Amino acid sequence: MTDVVATNETILVVGGGVSGMTTALEAAEAGKQVILVEKRPYVGGRITQLYKYFPKLCFPTCGLEINQRRTKQNPNVTVLTMAEVTSLTGSEGNYSATVKISPRYVNENCTACGACEDAVEAEFDNEYNYGLDKHKGAYRPHRMAYPERYVIDPAMIGTADADKAKAACKFDAINLEMQEETVELKVGAVVYATGWRPYDANKIQPYGYDRYKNVITSVEFERMNDPMGPTGGKILRPSDGKEAKDIAFIQCAGSRDRNYLKHCSRICCMATLKQTTYATDADAKSTVYYIDIRAIDRFEDFYQKVQKDENVKFIKSKVANITEDRETGNPILNGVDTEGYNRYATPHELVVLAVGMEPSLDASTLPEGISINEHGFIENDGTNGGIFAAGCASDALDVNRAVQSATACALKAIQVVNRVAGSEG
Amino acid sequence: MSNLNNQMVNKYRNDFLKEVEANVEEGDWVKMCMQCGVCAGSCPMGPYWDHPPQEIFMMIRAGKREEVLSSTSMWMCTSCYNCIARCPRELPITHIMHGLAHYGKRLGIAPKNQPTLKFSQKFWENLMTNGRVNELKLGITLYFIDGFVQGIKNALAASGIGLGMFKAKRLDPMEILGGHSVKDKSGLKAMIKKAQEIEEARISGNQ
Ligand SMILES: Cc1cc2nc3c(=O)[nH]c(=O)nc-3n(C[C@H](O)[C@H](O)[C@H](O)COP(=O)(O)OP(=O)(O)OC[C@H]3O[C@@H](n4cnc5c(N)ncnc54)[C@H](O)[C@@H]3O)c2cc1C
Ligand code: SF4
Ligand code: SF4
Ligand code: SF4
Ligand code: SF4
């Protein structure tokens, strides 16, 4: 059984991405008791799936490692992975959360030696790489995954493969009898850091993501460029595995569009500018199709730098639709450009859709009356009591702003539990 | 140039956008266009006309009054609604295009030889005669719109369509003798006349 001690002076953080980790660590390092609930088998969220960070083009793994170390060292933080909050009731200073914990089938004895992985045959779509490859039925989600423990896919249970995995483990770490658990937690304040998910590109019918192999999304492109990723860091066309040398980026794919997401996802212009540097590094040319480039805040200089790169071309136009040249597998971008109203039908070897960010929160798990805006993000206003939203649960943000908002939430939550402590004397 | 046109020029001076907002159906949407280009790229007629909707909207903002209102572009719109379905800002593009065409016509500066305009006029006249559209008479008028010889050619080229309509009971050869009409023709005419008066009063109110 999972044993978790919580009181109404405890802070519950829902979602363990960079925002949730920040809130949890800031509060824990200020001496508060924190429970961090994360749905995935590891913490870090979507930044673990990025190759480099704009604007510095450094690696997310660096900050992630620091945060993981801080988490490991701090006794005030309890991390529950493969856990989800299924309901929350109560009011400021006195909430009751129901948490469902799915079985990992691997306990804390695991040394991440990998023997079980070698022993099994079954393979499953690898969600971490957005389905670009497969992982074994016994796997470590990614090479830096924390907690450093393997996972057995639930579809393995009852198969001979599962028994093979168990037999291969020398540390008695595999327990195929593990069951789903539900725990009730009493807490004083709750911070939602449930983050974002990429907008479903299949819904943008005219771009044919579901029909054309060489139309991919920006999040897949990040995975492709990671040397540890599914293509070993090479930009390969899904249709024929050839290196793509002529890449088009389509901005606002699913954002700023009343048919899809109404809001501007804010980071995708910067993400594309960053991704053109990946292309240039791979000796490929980039063409960016855009409505306008929103290099937020002080990132204008990054945009100017990319504009100077002769390998990168900008075309002011929202692509109307994509067709395909059957012979070459090249997607053909059709539209009219705004600077001159010229009609174009231009083939490219690979097309990257800069998909929008939508909130991943399931609002039905929230208590009634929590303020949610028309885009589905939680609005941090005074009527939410002891519930706060950090990072991309509150808006489409880059890491810098997500972390700032997470720190602010830690302070708000600390104030709530301090009030509880004060009134209880 | 028509009187009404002169009045409008004087009234709005250099603010064509304002004029469009006040006088064109759904005209107040024009300013919402963000010039993304999706309508222009999605319009099936796009490659065949001078200015796609995106460009028309920019021209309105740029005050290109004559060019817009006398353009043949709006008259080419087939009402396929592709642009409306795709516009990220949900502009009622089709309606604005029709509104502009109608406004140009009202001011007497719509292109005189645009086939759709001629068709619309014939359609209207046909409708006004009996209160219903007489497909056969309208069809015949249209065939001969470019003169007799061309009319015969048109008729031959389109005979398939006519035959199809005939088979589907959409075209009644007996209509040549008079054609079906609404029961109270004079009542209908009075109604239309009233509607025209109201519309004209509305336009003058805007002046
Ligand atoms: C293509 C692309 C490139 C980007 N590149 C950059 C960049 O270079 N630099 C930059 O600053 N930003 C970049 N970003 C933005 C960056 O990814 C976000 O700012 C960051 O991921 C926000 O972190 P978060 O913790 O708020 O959300 P997330 O990373 O989404 O984390 C949320 C976590 O909550 C968990 N969760 C969700 N629901 C529940 C639940 N009900 N119960 C429990 N857990 C739950 C999720 O599993 C996840 O682990 C990029 C974004 C995109 C789309
Ligand atoms: S479960 Fe056992 S075999 Fe598998 S990685 Fe962990 S310790 Fe190694
Ligand atoms: S950040 Fe750029 S690509 Fe993303 S929605 Fe906004 S304008 Fe479009
Ligand atoms: S699709 Fe809509 S917003 Fe885009 S150019 Fe056309 S009218 Fe303007
Ligand atoms: S409705 Fe008219 S303007 Fe719109 S796409 Fe169709 S033909 Fe073009």
Side-chain angles (χ1 to χ4, degrees):
Chain A
M1 270 306 289
T2 306
D3 222 1
V4 192
V5 184
T7 73
N8 52 6
E9 285 177 40
T10 303
I11 297 168
L12 172 65
V13 179
V14 188
V18 68
S19 306
M21 288 183 93
T22 302
T23 302
L25 288 167
E26 295 295 346
E29 286 170 5
K32 301 299 165 193
Q33 293 298 316
V34 181
I35 296 172
L36 179 64
V37 171
E38 168 56 53
K39 182 161 81 173
R40 301 182 181 196
Y42 56 93
V43 295
R46 302 236 175 233
I47 61 146
T48 64
Q49 293 158 288
L50 301 179
Y51 170 41
K52 285 183 191 171
Y53 271 158
F54 61 74
K56 287 203 231 156
L57 301 178
C58 53
F59 298 100
T61 38
C62 164
L64 181 67
E65 216 214 318
I66 295 171
N67 276 341
Q68 291 185 168
R69 191 156 7 96
R70 281 164 81 194
T71 311
K72 218 183 301 190
Q73 283 164 355
N74 198 312
N76 292 341
V77 195
T78 306
V79 179
L80 301 177
T81 48
M82 303 185 75
E84 256 178 281
V85 172
T86 54
S87 90
L88 182 72
T89 53
S91 56
E92 180 173 330
N94 185 21
Y95 289 105
S96 175
T98 310
V99 180
K100 185 186 91 181
I101 307 174
S102 304
R104 179 192 274 266
Y105 305 108
V106 175
N107 63 30
E108 37 302 300
N109 292 342
C110 177
T111 62
C113 73
C116 53
E117 182 171 5
D118 295 338
V120 304
E121 323 243 298
E123 290 189 330
F124 300 89
D125 274 348
N126 189 354
E127 237 180 278
Y128 177 76
N129 286 331
Y130 295 102
L132 291 176
D133 65 356
K134 308 245 178 212
H135 64 58
K136 285 276 196 79
Y139 66 104
R140 187 170 183 192
H142 67 95
R143 90 200 140 94
M144 276 186 63
Y146 175 86
E148 291 153 50
R149 263 201 260 166
Y150 269 59
V151 187
I152 306 241
D153 195 288
M156 296 269 289
I157 301 306
T159 68
D161 245 4
D163 298 327
K164 277 192 218 157
K166 189 172 163 63
C169 181
K170 294 190 205 70
F171 303 92
D172 198 20
I174 297 183
N175 172 4
L176 300 172
E177 316 292 291
M178 260 186 213
Q179 298 293 325
E180 179 182 298
E181 295 175 58
T182 303
V183 293
E184 296 287 333
L185 303 174
K186 202 169 144 60
V187 297
V190 186
V191 176
Y192 273 86
T194 41
W196 60 280
R197 63 168 167 246
Y199 186 73
D200 179 3
N202 284 323
K203 291 189 191 156
I204 318 168
Q205 268 302 312
Y207 291 164
Y209 175 75
D210 56 345
R211 303 187 293 281
Y212 312 133
K213 283 194 169 153
N214 296 327
V215 176
I216 65 169
T217 65
S218 51
V219 289
E220 290 166 351
F221 194 67
E222 288 288 334
R223 295 312 307 133
M224 264 192 189
N225 281 279
D226 185 345
M228 301 305 218
T231 56
K234 290 216 158 80
I235 305 172
L236 303 182
R237 292 176 12 128
S239 70
D240 52 16
K242 286 203 191 111
E243 272 191 71
K245 294 294 176 195
D246 169 12
I247 304 167
F249 294 88
I250 299 186
Q251 297 310 106
C252 307
S255 304
R256 292 178 68 188
D257 193 326
R258 283 162 179 268
N259 299 306
Y260 313 113
L261 299 174
K262 217 166 123 186
H263 63 264
C264 163
S265 294
R266 266 230 208 84
I267 57 89
C268 17
C269 276
M270 278 306 293
T272 290
L273 293 175
K274 170 185 73 173
Q275 292 182 346
T276 65
T277 71
Y278 302 171
T280 299
D281 288 348
D283 285 326
K285 293 204 182 311
S286 303
T287 310
V288 182
Y289 294 82
Y290 69 100
I291 305 176
D292 34 44
I293 294 289
R294 295 188 169 172
I296 37 172
D297 196 17
R298 63 194 152 83
F299 294 149
E300 192 67 22
D301 52 346
F302 194 95
Y303 176 30
Q304 284 163 3
K305 219 162 51 199
V306 173
Q307 275 177 311
K308 286 197 193 110
D309 182 345
E310 327 178 311
N311 294 312
V312 186
K313 210 166 108 188
F314 290 88
I315 295 182
K316 186 167 172 63
S317 166
K318 186 171 165 82
V319 173
N321 59 63
I322 299 180
T323 46
E324 189 186 45
D325 177 353
R326 290 263 171 88
E327 219 155 277
T328 56
N330 285 345
I332 302 169
L333 276 47
N334 304 293
V336 171
D337 78 54
T338 303
E339 293 163 329
Y341 302 104
N342 305 304
R343 199 160 287 276
Y344 59 82
T346 315
H348 293 278
E349 289 170 11
L350 184 71
V351 174
V352 180
L353 304 179
V355 287
M357 293 163 97
E358 66 179 348
S360 78
L361 174 77
D362 172 6
S364 72
T365 60
L366 286 176
E368 262 184 45
I370 297 302
S371 194
I372 295 188
N373 67 22
E374 59 172 324
H375 313 296
F377 295 108
I378 303 177
E379 206 66 71
N380 274 317
D381 66 21
T383 60
N384 289 346
I387 296 177
F388 309 98
C392 292
S394 70
D395 211 341
L397 301 173
D398 64 354
V399 171
N400 189 13
R401 276 163 197 75
V403 167
Q404 279 173 20
S405 103
T407 308
C409 284
L411 184 61
K412 288 283 182 197
I414 289 170
Q415 288 169 344
V416 171
V417 296
N418 276 356
R419 274 199 293 277
V420 173
S423 65
E424 286 180 347
Chain B
M1 227 183 242
S2 77
N3 200 16
L4 182 60
N5 188 35
N6 284 335
Q7 283 170 9
M8 288 307 197
V9 169
N10 286 333
K11 181 168 182 205
Y12 292 99
R13 295 273 156 208
N14 294 321
D15 204 340
F16 184 40
L17 177 62
K18 210 162 160 195
E19 181 179 347
V20 167
E21 285 175 344
N23 297 288
V24 172
E25 188 192 345
E26 307 280 14
D28 48 351
W29 275 94
V30 170
K31 61 175 175 293
M32 290 302 292
C33 169
M34 64 173 165
Q35 288 295 304
C36 70
V38 162
C39 55
S42 314
C43 176
M45 297 304 294
Y48 310 105
W49 61 15
D50 297 343
H51 314 295
Q54 174 197 20
E55 195 179 356
I56 290 277
F57 299 157
M58 199 58 194
M59 286 162 74
I60 292 174
R61 281 196 260 183
K64 303 200 167 178
R65 186 176 187 276
E66 293 297 315
E67 268 180 70
V68 170
L69 293 176
S70 60
S71 164
T72 55
S73 296
M74 299 86 78
W75 295 94
M76 304 270 288
C77 171
T78 61
S79 307
C80 71
Y81 283 77
N82 237 357
C83 51
I84 293 196
R86 300 283 322 283
C87 172
R89 294 215 161 160
E90 284 178 350
L91 266 79
I93 302 166
T94 318
H95 307 289
I96 306 172
M97 295 304 273
H98 292 202
L100 284 167
H102 183 216
Y103 186 57
K105 166 96 174 69
R106 224 159 61 190
L107 299 183
I109 52 176
K112 296 280 173 316
N113 287 317
Q114 214 288 328
T116 318
L117 175 61
K118 285 199 209 164
F119 173 84
S120 310
Q121 190 61 43
K122 294 293 170 214
F123 187 89
W124 178 251
E125 284 160 8
N126 187 293
L127 183 72
M128 279 308 93
T129 318
N130 284 319
R132 287 235 170 104
V133 175
N134 178 330
E135 284 93 357
L136 189 66
K137 276 192 180 167
L138 177 68
I140 289 174
T141 322
L142 282 170
Y143 286 145
F144 295 107
I145 208 163
D146 298 325
F148 187 76
V149 177
Q150 186 60 37
I152 300 293
K153 281 192 195 151
N154 286 350
L156 287 174
S159 58
I161 301 174
L163 223 53
M165 280 174 85
F166 175 64
K167 281 189 197 140
K169 295 203 168 63
R170 297 301 306 261
L171 198 61
D172 179 356
M174 296 316 278
E175 297 261 313
I176 196 86
L177 301 176
H180 62 315
S181 58
V182 290
K183 286 205 183 88
D184 180 10
K185 257 201 257 183
S186 57
L188 176 94
K189 283 193 179 150
M191 254 164 63
I192 304 257
K193 189 153 172 278
K194 186 72 197 162
Q196 276 172 331
E197 278 166 19
I198 296 174
E199 177 70 0
E200 258 145 44
R202 193 181 67 83
I203 301 168
S204 342
N206 269 337
Q207 281 166 27

